[in-house]
Amino acid sequence: MTKSQHLDADRAKKYLQEHFKNAGDIEQREMRNENEYVLLIYLKSICDPVVVNENLVDRFYELKSLDLYEQFIRSFPSSLVPQDEEELLRNMLKGCVAIFIRNHVLLFDALLVNAGGIQPPSTENVIQGPDDSFTENIEVNLNLIRHRYQTANLKTEFMTVGSLSQTRVIIMYDASKVEDAVLKELRKRLSEIKQEIVQSASEIEKHTMHPRLRLYPTLMLTERPDRTVLNISQGKIAVLVDSTGYAIVLPAIFNDFFTSMDDKIQLPPVGWFMKTIRYIALFITVLMPSLYVAFTSYNPEILKMQVTLLIAGSRATVPYPSFFEVLFMLLAMEFLTEASVRLPKAIGQTATTVGGLILGTAATEAGLVSNIMIILVSAVAITNFVIPFNMMSSGIRVSKYVFIGLATFFGLVGIVLGMVAMIMYLTSLRSFGKPYLKMFAVEWRKKGDQRSG
């Protein structure tokens, strides 16, 4: 290729400045040596700084002329001469450094691949799909997202929160899909955080959401880069926090917390079936204990005679009311769950398994609880952990005690009123102005709202 065919440097610079506007991870390095001048432009989140310094910066000052420097760069097999602005932009998003020499542009491959220190997800496991998770290094997390979302519309804004900790925060969004009102509100809430120490994404979630006293999460915390990229592509905003392995995704609706990344990989009927299973598990874990109390203490006539006699026979030796029996076993299960989290990993699983078996067997043989109660508690514990997100799972764990209280005082009528109140409460919640109970929303833009409406 002759020099006349080279891409014009001034026009390419303006093109890059326009497309990388508001991209906080764009780096420009000017190098001057007497009358010679070279400009480097690259994304520092996906380019290796060691490669850039050793092969581009150091060599500029070691070689005697720009001609030798240009020959040195062209000697690498991975160096390119872009034909137009689109090719230049596309290769920069793949980890190339744009080198402006005189009046033309060269590309040098300096892709940074973070392979070490990345662990599999610990709380959002999938059967198929990517097996990496965020780390406690914010630059590594930004690199993981940039590798998956190679477009100049992906913008990054850097902020700090915490007057003492000075924790770095990165706001990431697709400028072509994000809602400006949501982005403006997020900036406002982050700037209003008055905490001295901010060390985790959960703290930011707690201090930015309104109302603060709520039972269910209205922001999604995820440790999976693929989930974060998927939500950014839907017009949502991701917030990366330094020193924590989780990203905040917003706005978030109720249905988002029952979606697993496996749903996108499976065949559509299988994905729908799995999501239906999770909603069935939701109703079982919330309502089954309270229904047991209502049927045994208030409304046994609703069940078939054989089932009623079976429950009555099972509870023949139990010396106290059914609500006390339910609370006793559910609290015992909560203790075991907490113990499994706090105990050392080497003995935690064994201790809680043995403790649960001994507790259930001994309580049944002593006549303190019925056999049916053991089955019910096991079903409630299993279905509670079917929910993919721990924050939502914890809120559901608390909800079932509210329904048990209503069933204890009002029977089935209390459960029905509780369901109505729960739906009204969920309907009243908002996530950055978006309705929390808007089910199966794919995108937040007006087009998506009109289609769903």
Side-chain angles (χ1 to χ4, degrees):
M1 176 181 289
T2 63
K3 287 189 177 181
S4 61
Q5 295 175 306
H6 287 154
L7 179 63
D8 182 71
D10 293 332
R11 188 176 65 182
K13 271 189 248 182
K14 292 180 181 179
Y15 182 84
L16 293 180
Q17 289 172 356
E18 178 184 350
H19 282 77
F20 285 118
K21 185 180 180 181
N22 296 329
D25 57 335
I26 194 72
E27 184 82 5
Q28 297 189 39
R29 300 187 65 172
E30 296 183 356
M31 300 184 296
R32 296 183 182 274
N33 188 3
E34 296 180 353
N35 296 326
E36 298 175 335
Y37 168 79
V38 169
L39 174 64
L40 306 180
I41 301 179
Y42 59 95
L43 290 166
K44 59 184 179 181
S45 58
I46 57 174
C47 291
D48 192 336
V50 176
V51 174
V52 174
N53 288 329
E54 291 183 353
N55 294 308
L56 299 181
V57 179
D58 294 345
R59 295 297 179 269
F60 173 78
Y61 295 103
E62 291 174 359
L63 299 175
K64 296 181 179 180
S65 67
L66 280 185
D67 293 332
L68 291 176
Y69 183 68
E70 183 175 349
Q71 291 175 13
F72 171 77
I73 294 173
R74 289 176 179 270
S75 67
F76 286 86
S78 57
S79 65
L80 301 171
V81 179
Q83 301 291 327
D84 50 32
E85 290 88 350
E86 288 76 14
E87 184 181 358
L88 172 65
L89 178 63
R90 184 169 60 253
N91 283 279
M92 287 186 64
L93 292 170
K94 293 180 180 180
C96 287
V97 180
I99 307 170
F100 293 83
I101 302 178
R102 295 191 177 99
N103 193 36
H104 56 273
V105 188
L106 297 176
L107 286 168
F108 184 85
D109 187 6
L111 178 64
L112 173 64
V113 179
N114 288 306
I118 298 177
Q119 302 294 327
S122 59
T123 59
E124 298 178 61
N125 299 317
V126 296
I127 299 175
Q128 297 175 332
D131 198 27
D132 57 352
S133 64
F134 288 126
T135 70
E136 295 184 354
N137 188 319
I138 196 170
E139 281 85 7
V140 174
N141 298 340
L142 181 57
N143 180 273
L144 292 173
I145 295 179
R146 278 285 187 189
H147 275 302
R148 287 178 163 90
Y149 206 82
Q150 297 183 8
T151 171
N153 291 324
L154 181 62
K155 305 301 181 182
T156 57
E157 298 182 12
F158 290 75
M159 297 181 64
T160 57
V161 295
S163 57
L164 295 180
S165 63
Q166 291 293 300
T167 305
R168 290 182 298 167
V169 171
I170 302 178
I171 303 173
M172 303 190 70
Y173 57 91
D174 189 320
S176 64
K177 299 180 180 181
V178 72
E179 285 194 15
D180 293 334
V182 176
L183 183 60
K184 183 179 179 181
E185 180 65 20
L186 174 62
R187 294 184 187 127
K188 176 175 176 291
R189 295 189 188 183
L190 288 176
S191 63
E192 291 175 350
I193 295 179
K194 304 301 182 183
Q195 299 298 310
E196 293 183 345
I197 303 294
V198 177
Q199 302 184 83
S200 68
S202 300
E203 293 180 68
I204 293 181
E205 191 273 342
K206 182 174 66 174
H207 293 300
T208 54
M209 287 312 302
H210 307 296
R212 294 186 181 179
L213 184 61
R214 63 191 186 283
L215 195 56
Y216 304 107
T218 49
L219 292 182
M220 186 164 49
L221 267 66
T222 177
E223 62 176 343
R224 297 191 62 90
D226 55 342
R227 184 188 293 275
T228 305
V229 167
L230 176 64
N231 281 273
I232 291 176
S233 69
Q234 295 173 353
K236 299 183 182 182
I237 305 172
V239 180
L240 303 181
V241 184
D242 200 8
S243 72
T244 182
Y246 287 85
I248 303 172
V249 177
L250 60 103
I253 61 174
F254 188 74
N255 182 63
D256 289 337
F257 296 94
F258 291 85
T259 302
S260 172
M261 291 307 296
D262 276 331
D263 299 341
K264 304 295 181 181
I265 300 172
Q266 301 284 358
L267 295 173
V270 178
W272 300 332
F273 173 76
M274 297 306 298
K275 183 172 287 189
T276 303
I277 289 294
R278 296 187 196 106
Y279 278 104
I280 294 174
L282 168 66
F283 285 100
I284 290 176
T285 192
V286 171
L287 297 180
M288 184 175 284
S290 57
L291 288 174
Y292 177 82
V293 173
F295 288 148
T296 55
S297 301
Y298 284 91
N299 309 99
E301 69 279 358
I302 294 180
L303 301 174
K304 284 188 175 182
M305 181 61 67
Q306 294 89 337
V307 177
T308 303
L309 293 176
L310 178 63
I311 296 176
S314 178
R315 297 195 70 254
T317 59
V318 179
Y320 34 72
S322 59
F323 76 88
F324 188 84
E325 178 189 14
V326 169
L327 285 178
F328 172 73
M329 289 305 298
L330 287 181
L331 289 176
M333 183 59 66
E334 297 288 353
F335 296 150
L336 288 172
T337 302
E338 285 299 304
S340 66
V341 176
R342 312 302 169 195
L343 285 172
K345 292 183 179 180
I347 63 173
Q349 187 174 5
T350 303
T352 52
T353 302
V354 174
L357 291 174
I358 293 175
L359 177 64
T361 304
T364 304
E365 292 180 354
L368 298 177
V369 296
S370 63
N371 294 325
I372 294 178
M373 189 68 238
I374 299 296
I375 299 173
L376 185 146
V377 170
S378 301
V380 169
I382 293 171
T383 52
N384 190 81
F385 293 112
V386 171
I387 301 172
F389 286 88
N390 182 64
M391 293 182 66
M392 178 59 73
S393 177
S394 300
I396 297 300
R397 284 166 61 184
V398 177
S399 300
K400 63 174 176 280
Y401 292 101
V402 177
F403 281 91
I404 291 173
L406 292 172
T408 301
F409 292 103
F410 305 106
L412 282 177
V413 175
I415 295 176
V416 173
L417 292 177
M419 288 295 296
V420 174
M422 182 178 180
I423 294 173
M424 292 176 63
Y425 171 70
L426 292 173
T427 305
S428 68
L429 291 179
R430 293 291 184 272
S431 179
F432 283 84
K434 302 303 177 183
Y436 191 59
L437 211 58
K438 180 180 179 180
M439 304 299 289
F440 311 115
V442 177
E443 57 184 35
W444 291 109
R445 300 184 65 82
K446 292 181 179 180
K447 182 178 179 181
D449 293 337
Q450 293 172 356
R451 183 170 59 248
S452 61

